[in-house]
Amino acid sequence: KIDGAKERLRGLFRLPLNWDIEKLCRSVSDFRTGSAIIEMDAKHRVWFEHIFRETFQGKWTQDRNRNGRKVPKALFVRDVQEVQNVGLWKEYGQWKAKFKEDQKA
């Protein structure tokens, strides 16, 4: 019975298959706008560390204060979290549909 309800919610909001519907339901009072934070495992942290290591450029930018603050030499990933936000996902779906419609015109 619960699995059927979860699949109905997933279909109604067109949520990705990997989203944790039970956690979303437990963490929010209004499912339509709620979100859940999912802690990712070590393999995801390693992947993000690789991305940061390969792409980081230690350059001064305008958002850094020149007054004695040094530009970092590297970035370190402590945790990786996936935010599953129903409201933002719904907005994305609406934007995507409008974009497709505009492309047809």
Side-chain angles (χ1 to χ4, degrees):
K1 198 171 188 177
I2 291 175
D3 287 336
K6 289 191 310 188
E7 290 311 310
R8 282 194 299 279
L9 282 171
R10 187 182 307 283
L12 180 63
F13 292 98
R14 296 186 177 152
L15 301 176
L17 294 175
N18 67 319
W19 278 28
D20 189 336
I21 304 300
E22 285 185 46
K23 187 165 186 174
L24 276 166
C25 289
R26 284 192 309 268
S27 65
V28 299
S29 58
D30 183 357
F31 184 83
R32 294 169 294 170
T33 58
S35 64
I37 296 174
I38 310 297
E39 297 293 329
M40 304 305 284
D41 59 20
K43 73 178 181 181
H44 289 92
R45 187 180 51 75
V46 169
W47 185 80
F48 276 99
E49 283 178 342
H50 170 76
I51 296 296
F52 280 110
R53 187 173 50 252
E54 295 298 317
T55 61
F56 179 75
Q57 296 180 14
K59 294 183 178 180
W60 181 87
T61 57
Q62 291 184 5
D63 62 331
R64 292 194 172 105
N65 183 354
R66 287 184 187 233
N67 299 329
R69 292 181 63 195
K70 296 181 181 179
V71 174
K73 295 185 186 331
L75 299 176
F76 299 96
V77 179
R78 290 186 357 200
D79 298 307
V80 177
Q81 299 174 330
E82 178 180 354
V83 177
Q84 299 175 351
N85 185 301
V86 177
L88 290 177
W89 184 257
K90 190 171 139 185
E91 283 181 34
Y92 166 72
Q94 292 168 343
W95 174 86
K96 187 175 169 183
K98 183 179 180 330
F99 181 80
K100 283 183 179 180
E101 195 61 37
D102 290 347
Q103 293 301 308
K104 291 177 184 177

